[in-house]
Structure formats: structure tokens, C-alpha cells
Amino acid sequence: MKGNTLLFACLLAAMTGAVACNSQTASKETAADSTAAPEIKLKEATVTYQDDTTTLIGYLVYNEASDRQRPGVLVVPEWWGLNDYPRSRARQLAELGYIALAVDMYGNGKLAPTPDEAGKAAGVFYTNAGLIKSRMAAALAEIKTFPQTDTNRIAAIGYCFGGAMVLNAAKMGLPFKGVVSFHGSLAGVTPNKDLLTSKILVCHGGADKFVSAGEEAQFKKGLDSIGADYTFKTYPGATHAFTNPDATKTGQQFNLPIAYNAAADSASWQDMKAFFARIF
């Protein structure tokens, strides 16, 4: 009996030790898991800056839980102006670890809620390359003023009209590490090998009726002619504005050939992240 009691006590001690050991291991694993993902505490701010005599009102966001410097990304809106959509993309970038500035291209926070108003507001830039450069340069200078920004690592992304703006700004020599165009126009200034230093990613809808095959071919030919570092991604079946969840509703409202495409949206965002990992 005594022997059985002693054996039971030993077994119980061994089991208790094993449980304690497993408990400690589990605690360590849990602690490791809890520190695997950085804390996210977004700091959002309205920022006012100038381009000559025009007041520009941008939207800045970053993760204030981290005190390290990080790459900066300018976010240039569609032709509707700085509405909720580019702000949402800026917040996504902040969650990825960047400091993002959604850019006011029109000035004074102007919005263009109809295609007629948007066409007039955007049209000014398509006929004035110097205005593109000055507005983008003003935004670039603004994001550099924040201590959270690594001023040697800045990129720009743009949607539709904004895509054209970042491509043309890069071709005119603004010193971005890289630029990303999502369903943007491909027309604009002729690329110059002495000016273009940015790497380029174009995320293009295969069914985009706003960009002709000729425009696409001319764009690629121009970059090829100077040996530019660019990647051109085409997403089959995706129309113009394919990344914007409101595009389908907006297309129906104004009879525009635009629609949201979840697969292309997700794929292009992943392509952007891979591109940033390469340039930064």
C-alpha cells in the first residue's frame, strides 16, 4: 500500500510539473504572440500648406504608437477631390507603418461632386503640367516637415486623376522613391531619362474604357525608350475606378463605365505592398 501511495505521489508530482511546464510554455507563447503585431493608434490631422497663393488642406495620418521614423506616402485622389475614399487609403497605409498625406490638388479642400464639375477642375491640370509639379512639390515638402517622416524614403500613389498626377510628377523629376498609379490616365509629359528617377508601378484595369490601347502602347514605348524601371500590371475584367467600393453606385448614378472589382482591388493593393517592400 505504502509503495502504491509513493508511486501515486511521484506520478502526481510528475504530472503537476508537466502541467506547470506546459503552462509556462503557453504563457511564453502567448506573450510572444501579443508582441508580434505592433500596437496601432492612429493620429489623424488636418494640415494646411501653401502652393504660391493657394491654400491647400490635406489629411495626415500615422501610427503614433511608434516613435520611429517611417517612409512617407502621398495619396492623390480621384477627380472628385479629397473626399472620404483617399482618406481611407491613407489610414490603411498608416496601419501598414507609413505616414500618409492625402493631397488637396484643387485647393481650399474643394470637392467636385459631379462629372461636369470634376472634369472642369481636373482639366486645368491636364493642360498645365507646371501646376501638377507645383502642387505635388508642395505636398512633398509638407510631409517632410513631420518628424515621423523618413525624408529619404517617400513615395506617391494616385487613383484615376491622381494616378496621372503621380506619373507626371515623377516624369518631371520630383524625387520619389516610387509612384503607383491605380487606374490612372497614362497620357502626359514625355519621359526624360535625366529627370525620371522614380520607380513606377501601374495598376491598370483590363476593361478600362477611359484608356485606349494606343495610349497604353505610347506610355510603355516612352518609358522603354529611356530604360525606365517600371512594372505594368493589368487586371482582367477590371474597369476604370476598380479599387473604389463606391464606383459601381457612382457609375450607375452618372452613367459612367466604372465599377468596383474586389479581386482587382485586393490584387493591386498586394502588388503595391510588394513594390514598396522593394523600393524602401
Side-chain angles (χ1 to χ4, degrees):
M1 182 71 179
K2 242 185 220 185
N4 289 339
T5 302
L6 183 59
L7 177 61
F8 177 75
C10 289
L11 288 171
L12 181 61
M15 290 173 64
T16 303
V19 170
C21 182
N22 288 338
S23 176
Q24 290 174 2
T25 301
S27 296
K28 288 178 181 178
E29 288 174 353
T30 301
D33 290 343
S34 68
T35 58
E39 180 187 356
I40 295 177
K41 184 181 178 184
L42 295 187
K43 171 69 174 179
E44 304 173 65
T46 298
V47 295
T48 302
Y49 55 106
Q50 296 289 131
D51 175 24
D52 194 14
T53 60
T54 302
T55 298
L56 306 166
I57 305 172
Y59 167 78
L60 186 87
V61 59
Y62 60 91
N63 180 16
E64 65 177 348
S66 171
D67 58 2
R68 64 176 178 81
Q69 285 194 325
R70 68 216 68 188
V73 183
L74 301 182
V75 183
V76 187
E78 299 167 297
W79 69 347
W80 312 113
L82 183 45
N83 57 21
D84 289 339
Y85 179 57
R87 287 186 173 89
S88 72
R89 290 301 188 180
R91 286 191 291 272
Q92 285 181 281
L93 288 164
E95 290 170 356
L96 291 176
Y98 302 102
I99 178 170
L101 174 62
V103 177
D104 176 15
M105 291 297 287
Y106 297 155
N108 297 300
K110 176 183 176 180
L111 296 177
T114 68
D116 183 58
E117 292 172 280
K120 290 176 181 176
V124 175
F125 291 84
Y126 287 119
T127 58
N128 186 348
L131 185 58
I132 297 174
K133 187 175 182 180
S134 67
R135 290 290 161 87
M136 291 296 295
L140 178 59
E142 177 65 16
I143 199 171
K144 285 184 175 182
T145 65
F146 294 90
Q148 295 81 10
T149 305
D150 180 344
T151 57
N152 293 313
R153 295 190 294 165
I154 299 179
I157 70 173
Y159 295 87
C160 300
F161 161 76
M165 297 301 100
V166 303
L167 290 173
N168 281 287
K171 286 189 283 185
M172 286 186 283
L174 288 190
F176 297 111
K177 283 290 186 182
V179 296
V180 184
S181 168
F182 294 93
H183 42 78
S185 167
L186 303 178
V189 300
T190 302
N192 182 326
K193 66 179 180 180
D194 296 325
L195 295 177
L196 178 59
T197 61
S198 304
K199 295 175 174 60
I200 292 173
L201 171 63
V202 175
C203 299
H204 179 65
D208 190 330
K209 294 183 178 179
F210 286 91
V211 178
S212 69
E215 184 180 325
E216 179 181 335
Q218 186 64 31
F219 174 81
K220 292 177 179 177
K221 182 180 178 181
L223 293 182
D224 288 336
S225 71
I226 64 167
D229 185 336
Y230 79 98
T231 302
F232 197 101
K233 292 270 189 173
T234 301
Y235 308 94
T239 68
H240 199 69
F242 64 79
T243 66
N244 191 333
D246 290 332
T248 303
K249 180 180 69 176
T250 302
Q252 292 169 348
Q253 179 182 358
F254 295 114
N255 194 29
L256 297 172
I258 62 176
Y260 179 61
N261 186 308
D265 177 22
S266 177
S268 61
W269 190 254
Q270 293 304 315
D271 288 335
M272 179 208 72
K273 290 199 293 184
F275 177 74
F276 282 171
R278 179 167 75 92
I279 67 170
F280 291 142

